[in-house]
């Protein structure tokens, strides 16, 4: 009998603890569904998200390791950041009706310090975000000529290509962190 009372009490306790979760789920199901973001909003969110991650790395990685290379054949940490940031202008310039940049990779000699590199990374993402905002939905669905593919493409597709490229660079830089014995900012416990 005592066991039965304990079992019933335990089941009631579990039911009481799960009640708030069921109430929250019901509230979510009854809440109005948010509309999908517009084309320019979706691109801007993705652009800013990868930009935030690369900027965090640029500001976090120790300056004395900025030229760190996992192997001699690879680019240094700063060179990878400069490559990602410089590539952004293949979107930004076309979005603004300008010619693509003359070179893909800004020279490390031009950006000598950690502060110089971090400022360039920030600027490249801020310039891209400003272009996305300026173009709006209509402008982001417009056509431009992709200089690499030598074909027309929608501006938002070009932006997503550069977002993907930045994500690839982010993944490679996360490996640089690990090989250098460090933890990337995104992988650290949140406070």
């Amino acid at each position: 009998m005592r066991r039965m009372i304990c079992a019933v009490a335990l089941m009631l306790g579990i039911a009481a603890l799960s009640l708030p979760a069921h109430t929250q789920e019901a509230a979510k199901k009854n809440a109005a569904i948010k509309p999908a973001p517009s084309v320019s909003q979706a691109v801007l969110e993705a652009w800013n998200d990868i930009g935030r991650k690369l900027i965090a790395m640029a500001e976090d990685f120790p300056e004395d390791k900025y030229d760190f290379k996992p192997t001699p054949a690879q680019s240094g940490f700063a060179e990878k950041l400069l490559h990602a940031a410089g590539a952004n202008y293949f979107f930004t310039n076309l979005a603004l009706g300008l010619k693509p940049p003359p070179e893909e990779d800004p020279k490390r000699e031009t950006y000598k310090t950690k502060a110089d590199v971090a400022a360039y990374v920030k600027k490249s993402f801020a310039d891209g975000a400003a272009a996305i905002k300026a173009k709006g939905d209509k402008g982001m669905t417009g056509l431009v000529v992709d200089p690499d593919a030598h074909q027309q493409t929608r501006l938002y597709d070009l932006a997503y290509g550069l977002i993907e490229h930045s994500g690839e660079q982010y993944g490679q830089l996360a490996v640089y962190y690990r090989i250098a014995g460090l933890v990337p900012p995104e992988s650290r416990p949140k406070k």
Side-chain angles (χ1 to χ4, degrees):
M1 179 75 159
R2 191 177 195 111
R3 279 189 172 168
M4 186 186 270
I5 293 172
C6 286
V8 169
L10 180 63
M11 289 182 355
L12 287 173
I14 291 171
L17 290 175
S18 67
L19 186 59
H22 290 296
T23 304
Q24 289 174 354
E25 286 178 29
K28 283 183 185 176
K29 287 181 182 177
N30 293 333
I33 296 173
K34 293 180 185 177
S38 69
V39 170
S40 62
Q41 288 172 328
V43 173
L44 184 62
E45 286 174 17
W47 184 273
N48 286 339
D49 187 51
I50 192 59
R52 175 188 57 78
K53 292 174 183 176
L54 286 173
I55 291 166
M57 286 179 151
E59 293 174 337
D60 178 72
F61 205 72
E63 186 159 15
D64 65 331
K65 294 185 186 308
Y66 242 56
D67 291 310
F68 171 74
K69 297 178 178 187
T71 68
Q74 291 177 287
S75 301
F77 184 86
E79 290 171 314
K80 298 293 285 173
L81 285 170
L82 291 169
H83 170 73
N88 286 343
Y89 288 101
F90 283 89
F91 160 75
T92 304
N93 284 14
L94 290 176
L96 298 175
L98 305 171
K99 290 184 179 186
E103 59 185 25
E104 187 169 325
D105 295 334
K107 302 291 181 236
R108 175 72 167 115
E109 303 83 54
T110 306
Y111 300 91
K112 296 179 186 200
T113 67
K114 174 180 174 173
D116 293 341
V117 173
Y120 182 68
V121 173
K122 280 183 187 177
K123 183 177 179 347
S124 78
F125 281 100
D127 289 348
I132 294 166
K133 289 176 189 173
K135 293 308 266 185
D137 291 336
K138 186 175 181 184
M140 290 301 291
T141 59
L143 295 173
V144 293
V145 175
D146 180 337
D148 289 334
H150 197 65
Q151 76 176 47
Q152 286 186 326
T153 187
R154 303 234 177 262
L155 192 54
Y156 65 79
D157 284 327
L158 186 62
Y160 277 124
L162 273 297
I163 291 166
E164 179 184 6
H165 177 262
S166 290
E168 292 167 357
Q169 300 309 306
Y170 170 81
Q172 292 173 25
L173 289 170
V175 173
Y176 280 48
Y177 261 86
R178 298 296 186 171
I179 293 172
L182 303 168
V183 177
E186 284 290 308
S187 298
R188 296 178 193 153
K190 305 295 182 230
K191 293 180 182 178

